[in-house]
Amino acid sequence: MKKTINEEVMALKVKKPGLIMHSVLSIVTKALYYKKCNVTVNSTVDLNKYKGKPLMIVANHASRMDYAFVTFAIPNRKINFVAAENEFHRKKFKFAFAVGHVIPKKNFVPDIKAIKCMAKIIKQEKEGTVCIFPCGMSTASGAQQPSMLGSGKMLKHYGATVLGVRIHGGYFVSPKFDITERYGKVEIELFELFTPEQLAEYDEETIQQKMDEAIFTDDYAWNETRQNSYKCKGGFADELQQLLYKCPVCGEEMQMDGKGNEIKCKKCGNGATLDDKYNLVALPGSRVPKNIRAWFDNERRAMAREVKNPDFCLEEHVTLGALPDYEYMPNDRICNIVGEGKMRLDHSGFSYVGTRDGKPWEVFIKSDVINTLCLPLDASFFYTYASGEFLQFTPDTKSCMRWSFAVEEMYRLNGGKWKNYPWFDYEHDEPLVP
């Protein structure tokens, strides 16, 4: 009997990438991105020091190109990258994932298969090297989000030397609101984060905290004085309303419109242009936060206040997507649309009630269990896992970021253990430019 794609993924036997394919993939990624992104690598380590020893690599997740940037930083190691399990269902990645021995991982949920694969590389392969992006998905705002729960525990469990990679400018070449790649300056830092002795000494929480502090990046702060310019085939602000959905002046939601180089509120006219250095420049008579990240963080603060209302509820019509058993997804498709219905979030949890394959179907996840929503390409749709199954939801409006904030802050309000950075200030909004 023919195996399903999911069964094939679960049966994968990973090993260290071979020398020939490692060399070919390195050449290809260098041709695609090295010159276009004007990449520079600043390293404080001598990689020869780790000959014959296993390595864990942890990096901030700035963009969809990060696998290439990590490869540039550590060219002499054959790296097994960890990627989202659903990406193994996409036709365009099938060959590269197979020859690169990429490790599948279900995002934001425990995955024994991934743990075993990483253990095999670290403990059994000579100079085994595994790279993880502990935040779980590329940043939505341009600043790194906190690592997922269990990241510190995993590093301590493997006990291998951990190298850190910080990618600056990565978000600007591949922002979450536009899947079209842009090109400009990228700087990469490579440093030693933990020795095996330090991992043995620290507890899991300390390891996770130190890792979060070490790989935190904010591309807007990085480029504030550098003012590097970026090239874009379309408008710099196209679809920016996927992230910046709330007008900072009138407070109206889902009325922002990003088109060309401009984002503007359709209700009150407040808006700004986004220039080639990712500076927000207020339109005449308008007031906006200093950059996309400040605007984005204000939206989170507003949602954190909203979910405290005991009657809080979000509802919206959505289409439902699921992975087919035997069909690889072509081009940029993630899954097949299998139904439609109503999505809801309140203090009890997240639910969908509607149809699937022409029949009534529903799912419910408690609010202290679902900690986030994954935005895999841009912010036009999201996915989550329910009882181990991948499910995609596409709202009628461009409200995925709003839903993501609501799910995360509801989870935290209801005692969820995955918290924001301890230095994130929920109490004070970023002031608007006068």
Side-chain angles (χ1 to χ4, degrees):
M1 185 175 178
K2 184 180 179 182
K3 288 184 178 180
T4 66
I5 296 173
N6 188 59
E7 288 171 338
E8 290 179 356
V9 172
M10 292 300 294
L12 285 174
K13 298 184 184 300
V14 300
K15 61 181 181 179
K16 189 170 67 173
L19 177 60
I20 294 177
M21 289 313 305
H22 167 75
S23 300
V24 170
L25 290 174
S26 296
I27 291 170
V28 170
T29 55
K30 191 166 186 175
L32 286 174
Y33 301 123
Y34 197 86
K35 186 175 181 180
K36 288 180 178 178
C37 295
N38 189 18
V39 175
T40 57
V41 178
N42 302 312
S43 175
T44 59
V45 299
D46 178 6
L47 290 173
N48 291 321
K49 172 183 174 182
Y50 310 108
K51 280 187 176 180
K53 299 178 182 178
L55 288 175
M56 285 290 296
I57 312 298
V58 296
N60 67 300
H61 205 349
S63 74
R64 295 175 288 272
M65 307 176 193
D66 290 343
Y67 70 95
F69 298 145
V70 172
T71 301
F72 299 153
I74 313 171
N76 65 342
R77 299 291 288 239
K78 304 176 188 69
I79 303 172
N80 290 85
F81 288 91
V82 178
E85 183 266 347
N86 63 285
E87 299 290 349
F88 285 73
H89 293 251
R90 298 176 67 186
K91 189 174 182 179
K92 69 178 184 179
F93 294 146
K94 184 179 179 181
F95 176 75
F97 279 17
V99 299
H101 289 279
V102 177
I103 298 170
K105 168 71 170 72
K106 291 182 178 179
N107 278 358
F108 310 124
V109 294
D111 191 328
I112 299 301
K113 165 72 175 179
I115 296 296
K116 288 182 177 179
C117 287
M118 287 187 271
K120 178 182 183 298
I121 299 301
I122 293 296
K123 297 182 179 297
Q124 297 180 25
E125 296 279 4
K126 183 180 179 181
E127 291 191 344
T129 305
V130 173
C131 177
I132 63 170
F133 301 98
C135 64
M137 67 176 175
S138 58
T139 172
S141 69
Q144 174 81 348
Q145 73 174 23
S147 301
M148 282 291 115
L149 290 173
S151 300
K153 180 179 182 179
M154 182 178 63
L155 295 182
K156 185 175 180 68
H157 171 73
Y158 294 133
T161 298
V162 181
L163 299 186
V165 175
R166 274 192 299 262
I167 303 165
H168 303 282
Y171 184 80
F172 294 161
V173 299
S174 183
K176 185 63 78 175
F177 57 89
D178 187 0
I179 63 173
T180 303
E181 293 178 352
R182 308 167 180 209
Y183 298 104
K185 183 64 180 174
V186 172
E187 290 182 3
I188 307 167
E189 296 179 72
L190 176 66
F191 54 95
E192 185 177 89
L193 180 52
F194 297 114
T195 65
E197 294 75 21
Q198 289 172 324
L199 291 173
E201 175 187 352
Y202 298 144
D203 59 31
E204 299 163 9
E205 291 75 18
T206 300
I207 293 170
Q208 186 135 340
Q209 179 184 340
K210 288 181 176 292
M211 175 175 59
D212 272 345
E213 293 171 351
I215 64 174
F216 177 78
T217 56
D218 178 345
D219 277 357
Y220 306 99
W222 168 79
N223 204 39
E224 187 172 3
T225 56
R226 290 171 176 81
Q227 290 295 286
N228 294 309
S229 297
Y230 293 81
K231 295 180 180 179
C232 176
K233 289 183 179 179
F236 274 90
D238 282 343
E239 302 299 328
L240 184 53
Q241 76 275 13
Q242 289 185 11
L243 305 186
L244 308 184
Y245 61 84
K246 186 181 182 73
C247 178
V249 170
C250 74
E252 193 73 15
E253 296 185 348
M254 315 315 300
Q255 291 298 310
M256 301 304 299
D257 185 29
K259 190 177 298 180
N261 294 327
E262 183 178 287
I263 183 167
K264 191 174 182 179
C265 178
K266 291 185 284 188
K267 181 178 180 181
C268 72
N270 187 68
T273 58
L274 185 67
D275 68 18
D276 64 354
K277 301 173 182 64
Y278 284 86
N279 298 311
L280 278 176
V281 182
L283 297 173
S286 291
R287 293 183 298 146
V288 295
K290 63 181 179 181
N291 55 42
I292 291 174
R293 184 206 170 184
W295 192 329
F296 182 95
D297 286 350
N298 279 354
E299 292 174 336
R300 177 183 293 282
R301 294 184 180 97
M303 185 58 73
R305 292 190 289 266
E306 287 182 44
V307 298
K308 291 178 182 178
N309 183 337
D311 297 323
F312 175 86
C313 175
L314 282 184
E315 287 187 327
E316 188 165 0
H317 180 269
V318 295
T319 57
L320 172 70
L323 296 171
D325 288 334
Y326 300 102
E327 173 191 359
Y328 281 92
M329 293 290 92
N331 304 320
D332 288 326
R333 279 177 57 194
I334 300 294
C335 64
N336 286 335
I337 302 303
V338 296
E340 62 176 321
K342 181 174 288 187
M343 179 171 64
R344 177 186 172 95
L345 176 72
D346 58 25
H347 280 265
S348 65
F350 174 89
S351 64
Y352 165 84
V353 177
T355 62
R356 179 170 182 173
D357 298 324
K359 299 177 181 178
W361 192 79
E362 59 186 74
V363 66
F364 174 78
I365 311 173
K366 291 178 62 178
S367 59
D368 61 349
V369 173
I370 182 169
N371 59 0
T372 191
L373 303 172
C374 190
L375 310 169
L377 293 177
D378 57 9
S380 62
F381 63 92
F382 62 81
Y383 72 78
T384 189
Y385 281 89
S387 300
E389 183 185 13
F390 172 97
L391 296 172
Q392 175 185 301
F393 299 91
T394 306
D396 285 354
T397 65
K398 296 180 180 180
S399 59
C400 288
M401 205 66 247
R402 182 171 176 243
W403 279 89
S404 181
F405 286 141
V407 165
E408 291 178 0
E409 298 310 321
M410 183 67 78
Y411 165 86
R412 289 163 177 162
L413 181 66
N414 283 277
K417 294 182 179 180
W418 181 56
K419 304 296 185 183
N420 208 330
Y421 292 117
W423 60 80
F424 185 86
D425 184 358
Y426 274 99
E427 300 303 318
H428 303 95
D429 288 353
E430 289 280 349
L432 302 183
V433 175

